[in-house]
Amino acid sequence: MRTLAQPTWNPTDALVPVELPTPEPRPDEVRVAVKAIGVNPVDWKMRQKGPLRLAARLLGPPLPFVPGVDFAGVVDAVGARVTSLKPGDRVVGGTDFSRGQRGSYADTVIARPDQVTVLPDAVDFETAGALPVAGVTAAMAVLEFGRLEAVPADARRVLVLGASGGVGQLAVQIARNAGAQVVGVCSARNVERVRALGATRVIDYGAAGIDPLTAAAESGPYRVIVDCVGGYPAGGCRRLLGPGGRHVMVAGDSAGAFFQALVPPFSSRILLGKPTGARLAPLVQAIAEGRLRVEIAQRFPLAEAEAAHALSQSGRVVGKIVLVV
Ligand SMILES: NC(=O)c1ccc[n+]([C@@H]2O[C@H](COP(=O)([O-])OP(=O)(O)OC[C@H]3O[C@@H](n4cnc5c(N)ncnc54)[C@H](OP(=O)(O)O)[C@@H]3O)[C@@H](O)[C@H]2O)c1
């Protein structure tokens, strides 16, 4: 199979084409011919020194390192015990290195059936491929960790910090679809875009004399605050929460975030989004029905993943980057 991989753990190594033996699925696995892959910051963070790379080194398959979680494609082989999927099924899912699986920057991935969901005909591969990590993380933040639907409709207020990025754009829509009043924080160039996603109010974090959290306080208290940026003070976020509210640190891969999660009353939480078929199914259904959309910022051929990583590292991407196989 064709992959784009980093041959060693040296962070200065470029991603290069690497041919690996095409795997046969085990009895409880499926093999997928990949058509599109969403790029997430975790893909390049795993190449750099830090907790994510350490986890991949300790729990993942041996080198070469094939990055990537998101994939959409067509099932081309199923293991003997798999009954829920068959060759030819169009699916979307996420790889899991802790199960020894290689990443999705490849023309072929192996996954278990519970890691994928079947795609409705109305959802194309590129849209689906961009969805898993960002969509599931947004849904987990708003609905699972944030428990938005546990409060009456008039208390459903959600603040999304970084509302124009991959996770943020989906968090705004998921919260709106759950009946929330959504306040989005983004830069001036994205204000209209975030409003169009369903935010009731949009705060330009770069406007003169504006402190985004002070400005957001006027529309609180919030049931859920989703921080997709990482630079906003956790204490300031907690002060904007209503009783039982949650501050979800999506960009929580820093020691600072770890300590914030220990501050009573433990309303700040670090989230690790885990794509599963069960979590993806309602999201692809919402896309098929036109209730959710995934804005794609830019497409690259798989061979140009290095350029896609450079763009993602800029921190200025509006929507999702997709690699096309
Ligand atoms: N915990 C998990 O499971 C999980 C899952 C996915 C992502 N993440 C993490 O979450 C973070 C976001 O991921 P992503 O894929 O959404 O990233 P992304 O798409 O690269 O986010 C970039 C967006 O952030 C906006 N932005 C930058 N600074 C901002 C600020 N100060 N205030 C408001 N918006 C700002 C940018 O807009 P402007 O250029 O207009 O400012 C841009 O649209 C990353 O750190 C990623 O590693 C974690």
Side-chain angles (χ1 to χ4, degrees):
M1 69 180 194
R2 187 163 54 95
T3 73
L4 217 62
Q6 187 170 290
T8 74
W9 288 112
N10 182 345
T12 61
D13 265 11
L15 293 173
V16 292
V18 176
E19 276 296 325
L20 294 173
T22 301
E24 286 303 319
R26 294 197 192 105
D28 58 348
E29 292 175 339
V30 299
R31 190 175 68 199
V32 178
V34 177
K35 304 291 183 196
I37 303 149
V39 172
N40 295 290
V42 67
D43 302 351
W44 49 262
K45 288 182 181 180
M46 277 191 174
R47 299 172 61 196
Q48 299 176 342
K49 200 168 175 219
L52 292 167
R53 188 181 76 165
L54 182 64
R57 285 182 81 155
L58 293 176
L59 304 173
L63 289 167
F65 171 62
V66 181
V69 179
D70 296 351
F71 64 86
V74 180
V75 173
D76 75 356
V78 301
R81 288 207 301 272
V82 175
T83 54
S84 56
L85 294 163
K86 58 183 186 319
D89 283 345
R90 300 168 73 248
V91 293
V92 58
T95 60
D96 183 348
F97 68 85
S98 69
R99 286 177 165 177
Q101 297 165 359
R102 292 205 181 271
S104 58
Y105 286 20
D107 63 6
T108 304
V109 294
I110 291 286
R112 295 208 193 147
D114 67 354
Q115 291 171 253
V116 305
T117 193
V118 172
L119 276 181
D121 291 343
V123 183
D124 62 78
F125 287 126
E126 292 177 15
T127 302
L131 180 70
V133 166
V136 163
T137 301
M140 287 176 72
V142 172
L143 303 175
E144 292 183 31
F145 277 43
R147 297 174 302 166
L148 179 66
E149 290 166 324
V151 292
D154 63 358
R156 293 182 189 172
R157 283 181 293 276
V158 175
L159 174 62
V160 180
L161 304 167
S164 55
V167 178
Q169 60 158 342
L170 289 153
V172 169
Q173 295 176 78
I174 289 166
R176 176 209 59 191
N177 289 348
Q181 302 281 311
V182 184
V183 177
V185 175
C186 63
S187 68
R189 66 187 178 122
N190 293 316
V191 166
E192 282 317 313
R193 190 177 267 116
V194 171
R195 211 188 302 280
L197 295 173
T200 344
R201 184 177 164 215
V202 185
I203 298 167
D204 165 11
Y205 69 79
I210 280 273
D211 169 57
L213 294 186
T214 306
E218 293 161 24
S219 305
Y222 294 94
R223 173 66 185 179
V224 192
I225 298 178
V226 187
D227 182 357
C228 307
V229 179
Y232 289 92
C237 290
R238 285 193 293 273
R239 278 194 286 280
L240 304 187
L241 294 173
R246 289 271 167 84
H247 163 231
V248 187
M249 298 181 286
V250 166
D253 49 335
S254 67
F258 175 79
F259 290 113
Q260 288 302 327
L262 302 177
V263 176
F266 311 109
S267 47
S268 291
R269 299 283 172 93
I270 295 174
L271 167 64
L272 263 187
K274 188 172 164 57
T276 61
R279 289 188 175 119
L280 283 165
L283 298 175
V284 292
Q285 196 56 38
I287 293 173
E289 292 169 4
R291 290 181 284 115
L292 190 69
R293 64 190 164 87
V294 186
E295 187 161 342
I296 295 180
Q298 205 165 324
R299 295 165 175 79
F300 292 86
L302 174 59
E304 292 174 23
E306 199 68 70
H309 278 201
L311 179 62
S312 174
Q313 278 177 276
S314 74
R316 302 267 83 92
V317 179
V318 178
K320 292 290 304 175
I321 303 169
V322 176
L323 301 174
V324 181
V325 181

